[in-house]
Amino acid sequence: EEKLNFSLKQTEMAFTLLVLALALLNEGQAATETILDKADILYYTPGEIDSDNELLIDLNRYELLEKIPLLAYKQYKISKGKPYREGVKITDPSFYMVPKDGFEKKKTSLALNETEKLCDAVTAYHKNGIYAQLGYSLLAKENVDVAPSITYLFANYPKKVTFKAADIDDVVSVIPALTCDIETVDPTISIDAYFEYVLHKSGFVGADCIPNTEVP
């Protein structure tokens, strides 16, 4: 089972925002793109899922953005990063994250099979691009070719989220065990909002290890 395991201290920084964001996750942070005045800065929100599978987001520990109330943040200067591929410069306008040759045969590039399509959660993450981001990032950085197991990620979602901030009562959300039927999830709970925290805590495995047919 291959888990995504990026670390700012152990690996070279990826040039793309996606790979940079995934790298920041293993520093205990969840990354998010925020529209601000400063260019060249990736802002990311702190938080961590503990051993009881509960997520704590405590804004009292961090600086708050004046323009966006109740959003704590840390930041990383993108231009400080080093390209992960030899021959690529940080000033290049673009480059191929993975080689073009054989791209269509990679496991992430293949269409979902009919059984996988029956799992609404897998279909949704395949359509919104997260499936591709995971698979191609791992392929680019570690040269590991897997089709990401979305069901594994769902199995590792937090069961409770506690939001702390100054001058307000704690906001607690209880998340039921997730299944392939994402329509059963309380619509007031944003599942995608916690995706980065799950990735940081549990990494991900390939669908050949945990099939994308049901949430274990």
Side-chain angles (χ1 to χ4, degrees):
E1 300 178 8
E2 297 289 347
K3 288 190 177 183
L4 181 64
N5 186 24
F6 293 162
S7 170
L8 292 179
K9 296 180 180 178
Q10 297 175 348
T11 66
E12 293 182 311
M13 182 65 60
F15 179 61
T16 63
L17 277 178
L18 170 64
V19 181
L20 174 59
L22 293 176
L24 287 168
L25 295 179
N26 269 18
E27 289 293 300
Q29 316 299 339
T32 183
E33 293 181 53
T34 306
I35 299 176
L36 298 167
D37 292 338
K38 295 181 180 179
D40 192 37
I41 298 293
L42 177 68
Y43 294 88
Y44 54 101
T45 52
E48 185 174 356
I49 299 176
D50 64 19
S51 58
D52 293 323
N53 220 32
E54 297 182 1
L55 171 61
L56 172 63
I57 301 176
D58 188 352
L59 303 189
N60 296 313
R61 301 178 183 177
Y62 301 93
E63 182 178 358
L64 296 179
L65 291 173
E66 294 181 1
K67 293 185 178 182
I68 307 177
L70 296 181
L71 176 60
Y73 78 102
K74 298 186 75 174
Q75 63 184 41
Y76 187 87
K77 193 172 180 62
I78 297 170
S79 59
K80 289 177 60 179
K82 297 179 180 179
Y84 70 91
R85 181 178 300 159
E86 185 177 353
V88 175
K89 301 186 298 297
I90 196 73
T91 53
D92 288 349
S94 65
F95 68 93
Y96 286 107
M97 189 172 177
V98 296
K100 292 174 61 178
D101 294 341
F103 179 80
E104 70 282 356
K105 296 181 180 179
K106 299 302 181 184
K107 293 181 179 179
T108 299
S109 301
L110 301 179
L112 298 177
N113 62 42
E114 294 305 314
T115 305
E116 291 172 327
K117 290 178 182 179
L118 295 176
C119 183
D120 291 342
V122 174
T123 300
Y125 274 65
H126 190 270
K127 288 182 177 179
N128 68 15
I130 290 178
Y131 182 97
Q133 290 174 359
L134 292 174
Y136 294 136
S137 293
L138 185 59
L139 179 62
K141 194 67 184 68
E142 305 294 342
N143 196 30
V144 175
D145 183 19
V146 300
S149 173
I150 300 302
T151 55
Y152 170 86
L153 291 169
F154 266 45
N156 285 280
Y157 261 71
K159 60 184 181 182
K160 184 170 75 172
V161 179
T162 301
F163 179 93
K164 293 178 176 288
D167 302 324
I168 67 170
D169 294 334
D170 291 356
V171 178
V172 179
S173 297
V174 176
I175 301 179
L178 302 183
T179 69
C180 278
D181 186 4
I182 56 178
E183 297 300 326
T184 61
V185 178
D186 185 337
T188 64
I189 299 175
S190 175
I191 299 301
D192 290 344
Y194 311 128
F195 176 81
E196 293 91 348
Y197 302 105
V198 177
L199 185 60
H200 162 61
K201 178 177 184 290
S202 303
F204 73 90
V205 302
D208 53 345
C209 178
I210 304 295
N212 275 322
T213 53
E214 62 179 354
V215 179

